[in-house]
């Protein structure tokens, strides 16, 4: 609050200025009238949320691998065939051919490697931070790593895969063409 003397001085100055010029003295205005508040800040720019780009899963390569196994080993024929009327010997003989052919195809296009390189039957230690999809703990464990146990299966993962180029799009669902004898 300004003092009485200052108020009196402003009152007289203002009275005289209004009487003579019709305007308020600038020093009185500066002192008594607060400056206007600064303009409000513009609202923050809306946060740009990038739309999540969904990668369309394609079954094209899976179908292609089935097509290769069908072409080379008739694997799809075997799995879709009703084998109940055949004897075990007949099935065994058929499986031997399918196994050899499909194995050659897999060796040609897909390289596998064990998830754990040690020999089965050895005691192995699974370290903390191991990819849980790469191991399956069995027996009495509480699911906490690290853990030691006997390796019952080394597991498999794909080390590399080199499939031939995909056929044109309209042919990608064809596992094996229909065969027509004319």
């Amino acid at each position: 609050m300004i003092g009485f003397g200052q108020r009196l001085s402003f009152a007289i100055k203002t009275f005289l200025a209004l009487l003579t010029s019709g305007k308020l003295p600038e020093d009185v205005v500066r002192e008594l009238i607060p400056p206007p508040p600064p303009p409000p800040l513009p609202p923050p720019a809306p946060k740009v949320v990038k739309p999540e780009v969904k990668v369309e899963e394609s079954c094209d390569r899976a179908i292609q691998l089935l097509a290769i196994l069908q072409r080379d080993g008739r694997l799809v024929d075997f799995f879709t065939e009703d084998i109940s009327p055949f004897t075990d010997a007949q099935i065994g003989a058929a499986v031997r051919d399918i196994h050899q052919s499909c194995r050659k195809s897999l060796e040609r296009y897909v390289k596998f490697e064990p998830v754990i390189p040690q020999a089965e039957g050895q005691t192995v230690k699974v370290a903390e931070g191991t990819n849980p999809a790469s191991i399956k703990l069995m027996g009495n464990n509480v699911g906490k790593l690290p853990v030691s146990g006997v390796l019952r299966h080394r597991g498999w993962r794909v080390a590399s895969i080199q499939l031939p180029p995909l056929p044109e799009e309209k042919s990608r669902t064809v596992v094996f063409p229909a065969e027509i004898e004319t």
Side-chain angles (χ1 to χ4, degrees), residues 117-132:
Q118 283 88 354
E120 292 174 357
Q122 287 187 341
T123 299
V124 295
K125 184 173 184 178
V126 180
E128 192 171 330
T130 300
N131 178 359

Side-chain angles (χ1 to χ4, degrees), residues 76-108:
V76 176
D77 287 347
F78 176 73
F79 283 124
T80 57
E81 181 81 32
D82 177 14
I83 59 171
S84 59
F86 300 104
T87 66
D88 288 350
Q90 290 172 315
I91 295 170
V95 168
R96 182 176 306 280
D97 291 339
I98 293 168
H99 176 268
Q100 288 174 348
S101 301
C102 290
R103 182 177 181 176
K104 282 182 186 175
S105 294
L106 285 176
E107 288 173 348
R108 180 175 177 192

Side-chain angles (χ1 to χ4, degrees), residues 152-170:
R152 295 296 180 205
H153 190 284
R154 301 186 317 159
W156 293 112
R157 73 172 123 225
V158 173
S160 67
I161 185 165
Q162 293 185 341
L163 294 171
L166 287 169
E168 62 184 54
E169 189 150 349
K170 66 181 180 184

Side-chain angles (χ1 to χ4, degrees), residues 43-71:
K47 192 174 182 177
V48 177
V49 178
K50 291 183 179 180
E52 188 174 312
V53 178
K54 285 191 167 185
V55 177
E56 292 277 333
E57 286 190 34
S58 171
C59 297
D60 294 345
R61 291 294 184 180
I63 294 171
Q64 182 186 32
L65 190 56
L66 280 174
I68 289 170
L69 295 174
Q70 170 63 18
R71 178 196 68 202

